[in-house]
Amino acid sequence: MGTTSNSSLRSAGSITDVAGIEVGHFTDTRRPTGCSVVIVRDAAVAGVDVRGAAPGTRETDLLSPTNLVDRVHAVLLAGGSAWGLDAAGGVMRWLEAQGVGMEVGLAKLPLVPAAVLFDLFLGDSTIRPDAAAGYAACEAASVHAPAQGCVGAGAGAAIGKVFGIDRAMKGGIGTASVTVDGVTVGALVACNALGDVIDPDTGRVIAGSRTPDGKSLFDTRRSLLRGEAPKPLITGTNTTIGVVATDAVITKAQATRVATMSHDGLARSINPVHTMSDGDTMFALGTGKSGKTLGMMTLGTMAAEVTAMAVVRAIRAARGVTAGGLYLPAVSDL
């Protein structure tokens, strides 16, 4: 579990420490790609904030605070770029089989917002998550802490691509949680960022774009500021996507604000972030299982904290990979 002390928020934990949350991964063995699902069988109040300029999403309009439906039953994160949105159909099929969904008279309709990231650089790009992959991720879901690194939606993720994919490093998926006054906030984040990943406590670059010889870190922010020209980018070939969940009792408008504040965690741990070539998207879920409310100042601070922690843990858990003639080292390889 996340810490129960306000003074030691750096404990580990996972999004499944939030009561009512289950997580499952599907990782394709044919090439590095996959999907991850966050399931809320009893439904959760939901919000979303899309900050990147090149998003790939589904059902995000549903989550506007001014729109009718305020609860969803799962959130899908997937590789495969826009093709990966197909995996949400498999999540819906699995939830329907479990009797989970919004009552619409003749059936129960599962509501499954989704976001995707671009991982087509690694291996055969015709292999991407589909409905069967989404179904398999649901079959694997549990309340146990999910695996991190090169699994699920993080299987084909790469980071540090400002100066070219050949100088990039391996991304991944990570999770973390914190607890304050009996309320838990957790995050699950798949990091496929254009920028470098930063330790938010020290400001030090952990992983990202490498020097031309590939042996050390280039420090993208400082390189850009001293006039180094970025390599021309293919639009939408990056993106960090994730889910922040809490067991606090919150409204739909508050869920949207939690999603917004979670992006502060991305800004602390990724630089540059929210670029024209990223589709950064964060969802927020409120299960209400704690039966407690907590001020939005504290909830938002917790959301940013666990998001940053999850990004760092994703990168530290990743392992180097070679696919399709491309080698992406991990932190442990440098």
Side-chain angles (χ1 to χ4, degrees):
M1 285 289 289
T3 178
T4 56
S5 167
N6 288 21
S7 63
S8 55
L9 289 176
R10 280 295 169 190
S11 71
S14 83
I15 192 172
T16 53
D17 293 334
V18 176
I21 296 291
E22 300 172 52
V23 173
H25 296 307
F26 167 78
T27 307
D28 203 312
T29 58
R30 296 171 296 171
R31 84 166 183 93
T33 192
C35 59
S36 303
V37 64
V38 178
I39 296 173
V40 198
R41 293 176 189 253
D42 295 333
V45 175
V48 68
D49 190 349
V50 181
R51 293 287 180 94
T57 59
R58 159 181 163 145
E59 299 278 37
T60 50
D61 284 353
L62 177 79
L63 303 183
S64 168
T66 62
N67 288 344
L68 178 65
V69 175
D70 66 348
R71 293 177 180 270
V72 303
H73 306 93
V75 175
L76 174 79
L77 309 176
S81 192
W83 285 291
L85 292 170
D86 282 350
V91 178
M92 289 186 69
R93 183 161 56 87
W94 186 88
L95 290 169
E96 182 183 24
Q98 310 304 309
V100 174
M102 181 179 70
E103 186 63 63
V104 292
L106 299 176
K108 285 191 174 182
L109 176 64
L111 299 175
V112 185
V116 293
L117 56 79
F118 185 100
D119 61 2
L120 305 181
F121 289 120
L122 290 169
D124 183 353
S125 62
T126 66
I127 298 171
R128 50 250 181 175
D130 56 12
Y135 194 96
C138 292
E139 288 278 89
S142 78
V143 298
H144 300 298
Q148 300 181 89
C150 303
V151 295
I159 62 168
K161 290 163 277 187
V162 171
F163 299 101
I165 186 64
D166 57 319
R167 289 167 59 181
M169 291 180 65
K170 189 68 186 71
I173 194 166
T175 187
S177 73
V178 296
T179 300
V180 174
D181 296 334
V183 169
T184 300
V185 177
L188 180 74
V189 180
C191 184
N192 185 57
L194 177 69
D196 297 341
V197 170
I198 312 297
D199 183 328
D201 285 335
T202 67
R204 183 176 64 86
V205 178
I206 299 171
S209 183
R210 292 172 290 143
T211 52
D213 65 7
K215 295 181 179 180
S216 58
L217 296 172
F218 198 52
D219 195 326
T220 295
R221 177 176 67 90
R222 287 186 169 88
S223 297
L224 291 172
L225 290 175
R226 66 174 174 255
E228 296 279 354
K231 190 169 182 177
L233 303 168
I234 303 172
T235 300
T237 53
N238 312 279
T239 286
T240 297
I241 52 179
V243 180
V244 171
T246 180
D247 52 16
V249 177
I250 58 174
T251 66
K252 190 178 183 183
Q254 288 173 326
T256 302
R257 179 53 52 182
V258 168
T260 294
M261 294 184 75
S262 74
H263 277 277
D264 292 350
L266 296 188
R268 293 172 196 166
S269 57
I270 301 170
N271 196 336
V273 72
H274 303 144
T275 76
M276 291 297 291
S277 292
D278 283 289
D280 303 326
T281 300
M282 292 296 297
F283 296 94
L285 300 173
T287 69
K289 294 288 188 179
S290 71
K292 299 181 178 182
T293 58
L294 200 61
M296 286 300 296
M297 180 68 74
T298 303
L299 272 181
T301 299
M302 295 166 73
E305 186 79 6
V306 294
T307 299
M309 291 167 65
V311 169
V312 171
R313 295 186 77 193
I315 301 313
R316 293 200 183 281
R319 295 294 176 262
V321 65
T322 299
L326 178 64
Y327 169 61
L328 296 178
V331 174
S332 58
D333 298 319
L334 292 190

